[in-house]
PDB file of all heavy atoms in Angstrom:
ATOM      1  N   ALA A 226      -9.818 -16.170  -9.377  1.00 95.00           N
ATOM      2  CA  ALA A 226      -9.641 -17.355 -10.214  1.00 95.00           C
ATOM      3  C   ALA A 226      -9.645 -16.975 -11.691  1.00 95.00           C
ATOM      4  O   ALA A 226     -10.565 -16.328 -12.183  1.00 95.00           O
ATOM      5  CB  ALA A 226     -10.746 -18.367  -9.926  1.00 95.00           C
ATOM      6  N   GLY A 227      -8.605 -17.349 -12.388  1.00 96.00           N
ATOM      7  CA  GLY A 227      -8.537 -17.097 -13.815  1.00 96.00           C
ATOM      8  C   GLY A 227      -7.983 -15.737 -14.198  1.00 96.00           C
ATOM      9  O   GLY A 227      -7.801 -15.446 -15.375  1.00 96.00           O
ATOM     10  N   THR A 228      -7.718 -14.888 -13.225  1.00 97.00           N
ATOM     11  CA  THR A 228      -7.202 -13.556 -13.556  1.00 97.00           C
ATOM     12  C   THR A 228      -5.684 -13.585 -13.788  1.00 97.00           C
ATOM     13  O   THR A 228      -5.004 -14.543 -13.425  1.00 97.00           O
ATOM     14  CB  THR A 228      -7.464 -12.560 -12.417  1.00 97.00           C
ATOM     15  OG1 THR A 228      -6.782 -13.031 -11.240  1.00 97.00           O
ATOM     16  CG2 THR A 228      -8.955 -12.446 -12.120  1.00 97.00           C
ATOM     17  N   ASP A 229      -5.185 -12.511 -14.348  1.00 98.00           N
ATOM     18  CA  ASP A 229      -3.740 -12.371 -14.516  1.00 98.00           C
ATOM     19  C   ASP A 229      -3.035 -12.439 -13.159  1.00 98.00           C
ATOM     20  O   ASP A 229      -1.912 -12.918 -13.053  1.00 98.00           O
ATOM     21  CB  ASP A 229      -3.411 -11.024 -15.188  1.00 98.00           C
ATOM     22  CG  ASP A 229      -3.813 -11.018 -16.657  1.00 98.00           C
ATOM     23  OD1 ASP A 229      -4.272 -12.069 -17.154  1.00 98.00           O
ATOM     24  OD2 ASP A 229      -3.677  -9.962 -17.299  1.00 98.00           O
ATOM     25  N   ARG A 230      -3.697 -11.953 -12.143  1.00 98.00           N
ATOM     26  CA  ARG A 230      -3.093 -11.985 -10.814  1.00 98.00           C
ATOM     27  C   ARG A 230      -2.777 -13.418 -10.396  1.00 98.00           C
ATOM     28  O   ARG A 230      -1.724 -13.691  -9.826  1.00 98.00           O
ATOM     29  CB  ARG A 230      -4.032 -11.334  -9.802  1.00 98.00           C
ATOM     30  CG  ARG A 230      -3.625  -9.936  -9.519  1.00 98.00           C
ATOM     31  CD  ARG A 230      -4.348  -9.155  -8.468  1.00 98.00           C
ATOM     32  NE  ARG A 230      -5.393  -9.705  -7.681  1.00 98.00           N
ATOM     33  CZ  ARG A 230      -6.655  -9.767  -8.033  1.00 98.00           C
ATOM     34  NH1 ARG A 230      -7.012  -9.357  -9.236  1.00 98.00           N
ATOM     35  NH2 ARG A 230      -7.555 -10.228  -7.235  1.00 98.00           N
ATOM     36  N   GLN A 231      -3.710 -14.308 -10.681  1.00 98.00           N
ATOM     37  CA  GLN A 231      -3.473 -15.708 -10.320  1.00 98.00           C
ATOM     38  C   GLN A 231      -2.315 -16.290 -11.138  1.00 98.00           C
ATOM     39  O   GLN A 231      -1.449 -16.982 -10.606  1.00 98.00           O
ATOM     40  CB  GLN A 231      -4.733 -16.552 -10.551  1.00 98.00           C
ATOM     41  CG  GLN A 231      -4.537 -17.995 -10.139  1.00 98.00           C
ATOM     42  CD  GLN A 231      -5.752 -18.878 -10.388  1.00 98.00           C
ATOM     43  OE1 GLN A 231      -6.573 -18.582 -11.246  1.00 98.00           O
ATOM     44  NE2 GLN A 231      -5.866 -19.953  -9.640  1.00 98.00           N
ATOM     45  N   VAL A 232      -2.296 -15.986 -12.420  1.00 98.00           N
ATOM     46  CA  VAL A 232      -1.252 -16.521 -13.301  1.00 98.00           C
ATOM     47  C   VAL A 232       0.112 -15.962 -12.908  1.00 98.00           C
ATOM     48  O   VAL A 232       1.099 -16.705 -12.819  1.00 98.00           O
ATOM     49  CB  VAL A 232      -1.574 -16.197 -14.774  1.00 98.00           C
ATOM     50  CG1 VAL A 232      -0.475 -16.742 -15.685  1.00 98.00           C
ATOM     51  CG2 VAL A 232      -2.932 -16.776 -15.164  1.00 98.00           C
ATOM     52  N   ARG A 233       0.174 -14.683 -12.664  1.00 98.00           N
ATOM     53  CA  ARG A 233       1.432 -14.065 -12.232  1.00 98.00           C
ATOM     54  C   ARG A 233       1.912 -14.713 -10.941  1.00 98.00           C
ATOM     55  O   ARG A 233       3.112 -14.969 -10.765  1.00 98.00           O
ATOM     56  CB  ARG A 233       1.248 -12.555 -12.034  1.00 98.00           C
ATOM     57  CG  ARG A 233       1.158 -11.755 -13.327  1.00 98.00           C
ATOM     58  CD  ARG A 233       0.600 -10.353 -13.073  1.00 98.00           C
ATOM     59  NE  ARG A 233       1.344  -9.645 -12.051  1.00 98.00           N
ATOM     60  CZ  ARG A 233       2.210  -8.653 -12.307  1.00 98.00           C
ATOM     61  NH1 ARG A 233       2.410  -8.250 -13.552  1.00 98.00           N
ATOM     62  NH2 ARG A 233       2.839  -8.057 -11.317  1.00 98.00           N
ATOM     63  N   GLY A 234       0.989 -14.962 -10.048  1.00 98.00           N
ATOM     64  CA  GLY A 234       1.337 -15.598  -8.780  1.00 98.00           C
ATOM     65  C   GLY A 234       1.938 -16.974  -8.991  1.00 98.00           C
ATOM     66  O   GLY A 234       2.935 -17.329  -8.355  1.00 98.00           O
ATOM     67  N   LYS A 235       1.357 -17.729  -9.895  1.00 98.00           N
ATOM     68  CA  LYS A 235       1.868 -19.077 -10.179  1.00 98.00           C
ATOM     69  C   LYS A 235       3.259 -19.013 -10.813  1.00 98.00           C
ATOM     70  O   LYS A 235       4.140 -19.817 -10.487  1.00 98.00           O
ATOM     71  CB  LYS A 235       0.908 -19.821 -11.104  1.00 98.00           C
ATOM     72  CG  LYS A 235      -0.350 -20.339 -10.416  1.00 98.00           C
ATOM     73  CD  LYS A 235      -1.278 -21.002 -11.422  1.00 98.00           C
ATOM     74  CE  LYS A 235      -2.528 -21.597 -10.746  1.00 98.00           C
ATOM     75  NZ  LYS A 235      -2.195 -22.730  -9.873  1.00 98.00           N
ATOM     76  N   LEU A 236       3.437 -18.090 -11.727  1.00 98.00           N
ATOM     77  CA  LEU A 236       4.740 -17.962 -12.391  1.00 98.00           C
ATOM     78  C   LEU A 236       5.824 -17.599 -11.376  1.00 98.00           C
ATOM     79  O   LEU A 236       6.892 -18.217 -11.337  1.00 98.00           O
ATOM     80  CB  LEU A 236       4.659 -16.900 -13.492  1.00 98.00           C
ATOM     81  CG  LEU A 236       3.820 -17.270 -14.721  1.00 98.00           C
ATOM     82  CD1 LEU A 236       3.613 -16.051 -15.632  1.00 98.00           C
ATOM     83  CD2 LEU A 236       4.464 -18.406 -15.512  1.00 98.00           C
ATOM     84  N   LEU A 237       5.533 -16.614 -10.558  1.00 98.00           N
ATOM     85  CA  LEU A 237       6.523 -16.172  -9.582  1.00 98.00           C
ATOM     86  C   LEU A 237       6.813 -17.261  -8.554  1.00 98.00           C
ATOM     87  O   LEU A 237       7.944 -17.392  -8.071  1.00 98.00           O
ATOM     88  CB  LEU A 237       6.020 -14.900  -8.891  1.00 98.00           C
ATOM     89  CG  LEU A 237       7.084 -13.928  -8.397  1.00 98.00           C
ATOM     90  CD1 LEU A 237       8.054 -13.579  -9.511  1.00 98.00           C
ATOM     91  CD2 LEU A 237       6.437 -12.684  -7.819  1.00 98.00           C
TER      92      LEU A 237
END
Side-chain angles (χ1 to χ4, degrees):
Chain A
T228 61
D229 289 356
R230 261 185 2 275
Q231 182 182 25
V232 179
R233 285 164 54 105
K235 284 177 177 293
L236 290 170
L237 209 53

